[in-house]
Amino acid sequence: MKRMSVAMAKSRRHAGPLRILVLLALMVNGFLTGAQAETKLTVKGNLQQMSCDVELVTPASIAMGVFLSRDFQDNNGTAAISNITVKVHNCENVDPKKGSVGLQVSGSTLKDKPYIFNDNSAGDAGFMLRENDVAQGPHNQVLVWNGPLDTFFAIDEAVKDGDVTFGNDDLDPTVQEGVLLNYGIGFVAASPDTLPTASTTPVTASLTFTFNYR
């Protein structure tokens, strides 16, 4: 038997404008006596930092429990499901009408399986992340994954490393109290047909959630 945990990392915005200073030197050749030989023009342009605070509402470490290999096999590859809620708030200079917003997820995955997160790429089990729902309201509002174990393993619905989750239709960062983005996370085998090997080393995955605005 092995003890499983998921460690989460959060991303914070970096405040302050980015500034670009461009200097243009315009050379003028004069043929008239006393003409000025050169002139200088300074052009300034500002690039503003456009971001939001990203904060975990659920604990930064989740213990999924202890399972046997047959627990995965009995439920189509999933032994357990937990929940992750991330709050997006304190947005600056973000307008979903002028750009694309979302929350990017990144982390190490199993080899050739970018939809199963595991700090050890050579493992035979890991964690599958799926979008759940969006909530606007109190900081402690968390939505629970309601689906059964045997339907959670779905490659087409899984969040892959580098995916930007929840688009403009779901995430409105202009809401004053912030937006809660909910995910279901399942402890899964490499495939529904795989029996993970028992080990004394816990299976872990570290996920980073980053606000994305383009």
Side-chain angles (χ1 to χ4, degrees):
M1 295 190 297
K2 48 188 176 181
R3 189 169 185 86
M4 319 303 172
S5 66
V6 183
M8 303 299 160
K10 68 178 181 179
S11 170
R12 300 288 296 178
R13 64 183 172 89
H14 299 283
L18 303 177
R19 297 185 178 274
I20 293 180
L21 179 63
V22 181
L23 296 178
L24 300 180
L26 304 181
M27 304 301 296
V28 179
N29 292 322
F31 293 95
L32 299 177
T33 302
Q36 186 172 329
E38 66 178 43
T39 187
K40 180 187 291 186
L41 170 68
T42 299
V43 180
K44 294 182 179 180
N46 289 339
L47 291 179
Q48 289 183 314
Q49 184 83 7
M50 300 177 180
S51 190
C52 300
D53 282 341
V54 178
E55 178 183 355
L56 277 170
V57 176
T58 43
S61 180
I62 299 175
M64 298 288 282
V66 181
F67 304 94
L68 301 174
S69 294
R70 68 170 178 264
D71 294 325
F72 297 87
Q73 188 178 44
D74 292 345
N75 296 288
N76 195 38
T78 303
I81 302 173
S82 189
N83 306 281
I84 298 171
T85 300
V86 182
K87 184 176 183 179
V88 177
H89 62 123
N90 289 341
C91 296
E92 292 183 358
N93 306 307
V94 175
D95 186 349
K97 296 179 180 179
K98 296 182 179 179
S100 176
V101 298
L103 202 62
Q104 187 174 38
V105 182
S106 59
S108 298
T109 63
L110 296 182
K111 183 179 180 181
D112 300 325
K113 296 183 184 296
Y115 48 85
I116 298 181
F117 294 91
N118 189 330
D119 294 332
N120 175 17
S121 62
D124 54 9
F127 303 93
M128 178 175 285
L129 189 70
R130 291 180 58 181
E131 293 183 11
N132 189 359
D133 206 346
V134 176
Q136 298 177 2
H139 177 85
N140 60 354
Q141 183 178 354
V142 175
L143 300 181
V144 176
W145 185 273
N146 291 319
L149 283 174
D150 60 3
T151 63
F152 186 84
F153 196 110
I155 296 175
D156 292 341
E157 300 294 329
V159 175
K160 300 175 178 62
D161 174 39
D163 278 356
V164 177
T165 61
F166 296 106
N168 285 39
D169 293 337
D170 299 311
L171 174 54
D172 181 3
T174 64
V175 177
Q176 185 176 5
E177 66 271 22
V179 179
L180 301 182
L181 306 181
N182 292 273
Y183 301 85
I185 187 163
F187 185 32
V188 301
S191 75
D193 300 326
T194 299
L195 286 177
T197 304
S199 172
T200 57
T201 303
V203 179
T204 63
S206 300
L207 305 182
T208 299
F209 298 85
T210 306
F211 181 75
N212 185 276
Y213 179 62
R214 295 176 292 177

